[in-house]
Amino acid sequence: IHPVRTGPVVYWMSRDQRVLDNWALLHALELAVERRQPLAVLFALTPHFPHAEARHYAFMLEGLREIEGELRQLGIPFLLRRGDDPGETTARYAAEVGAGAVVCDFSPLRFARKWKERVAADFPLLEVDAHNIVPCRVASPKLEVGAWTLRPKLRRQLDAFLVEYPPVEAPAVAWAPFPPAVDWDEAHRTMGLVGRNSYRWITPGPRAARQGFRRFLEERLAGYDKVRNDPNLSAQSGLSPWLHFGHLSAQRVAWEARFHDGDIAAQEAFLDELVVRRELSENFCNYQPAYDRFEGFPRWAQASLNAHRGDKREHLYDEARIEAGETEDVLWNAAQHQMVRTGKMHGYLRMYWAKKLLEWTPSPEAALDIGLRLNDRYELDGRDPNGFAGLAWSIGGMHDRPWFERPIFGKVRYMSFGGAKRKFDVAALVAKENAAWEAWLKGRSNPH
Ligand code: FAD
Ligand code: FO1
């Protein structure tokens, strides 16, 4: 670990892509002011982000463009540097400007840790958990078994961390000379991106994220607890893409939702998802090195799935057929098409969708691999700890308890078509999605 040196401060932004409500940026600013140094914000863009597709990059770059503008108003330069390895890119930039310290945000994912090791080898690197309300390592020092073990720990610490953010102020020492503005058209071109954000239902960037959250708070939070599991209703918040890219701070969302007048049961249910479930996913990826493998499942689930490896599978589909959404299960196909078409599958369907993969593939390993690949390729909020935890929950009983033993699943909780029919109007969902899918396919083959 290198002590902070004399030299400019660099905030290496990666996961928390926003100016307001960002503890990592606030810390970098504080350091710069304290040491009478200028501050720059760097984003190290890699074309090799695992499973990221052009439409994810387009969404992200539009958000970054807004961020560059906000920073310029504060007199803070924003640099977009491209390179295969963000750790290398950042170390190179830090050397170029003679950085005294690099501040970065937190991610529990393997590749992000490796990037950081590269920077920390040569520079003082200060990591600030700007993504979680109770910082991941403070919330718990170990892998938690389930929401029931993490929840009381978070409750005890929440009042200390769920606070209002201070404002972001311009640094005292200006960066000179101020670097030229980013050429965003060139950035899109070099990443091979054609056009801008292609999602019709969501606008990228912190401003749209704050507006989207406000609308949810005023119009849809009441009743969330009762209807969030019905995929025919737009009852979920729709915040996950903005939370994933850091356009919106979970702490801001929790702070405002907690003090919003109205439906207490709805508030509690929403905060349980946003705070407990989300931070449980971070805990899983941070403390379970095998967060994307069978070996990361709890021991009872591994043993039980092992005992059922030889069970007969009624249908075995190859990945292409699964990806095309051409199985015998109309609900599953609708869920898959919803994900491919919109980049966001409803939360209830995600569980059903992942569990079916266990029935239709030769092994739990194959189910997990295909599930992660499709989730990350198609979900706008994919490539996130929530995805790793969601798949490990569905296929491997992570954060769940053993259920009654049955074929293939062993003691891992099972979900059936019949169960879905009892919860919501499956026929209506399938009809609606099929119509939307046909229209979408037509639009793709004839864009004009
Ligand atoms: P809301 O219901 O409005 O919830 C608000 C926020 O709470 C979400 O944005 C999210 O941050 C958090 N949250 C809600 N449910 C969960 C949950 N089960 N676990 C952790 N956090 C939760 N979420 C992702 O963000 N990215 C993924 O790639 C992802 N993949 C999943 C895969 C599977 C198989 C499963 C079962 C779940 C997955 N989830 C994932 C979790 C959850 O389904 C989504 O976060 C949620 O549907 C997003 O929609 P929303 O923002 O409208 O949710
Ligand atoms: N972060 C980066 O620092 N550089 C990137 O090039 C980058 C690309 C990217 C693409 C898709 C996506 O979903 C996220 C992306 N991120 C990128 C941000 C990313 O969320 C976090 O750095 C990781 O999730 C770490 O947890």
Side-chain angles (χ1 to χ4, degrees), residues 224 236-240 243 270 273-274 277-278 281 344 347 350-351 354 375 381-382 384 386-387 390-391 394:
Y224 172 87
Q236 287 190 285
S237 67
L239 299 181
S240 57
L243 290 168
F270 178 66
E273 300 296 338
L274 176 82
R277 286 279 156 196
R278 206 180 44 77
S281 305
K344 188 167 182 289
R350 293 191 199 204
M351 301 186 270
N375 187 81
D381 62 23
D384 188 280
N386 282 345
L391 276 138
S394 307

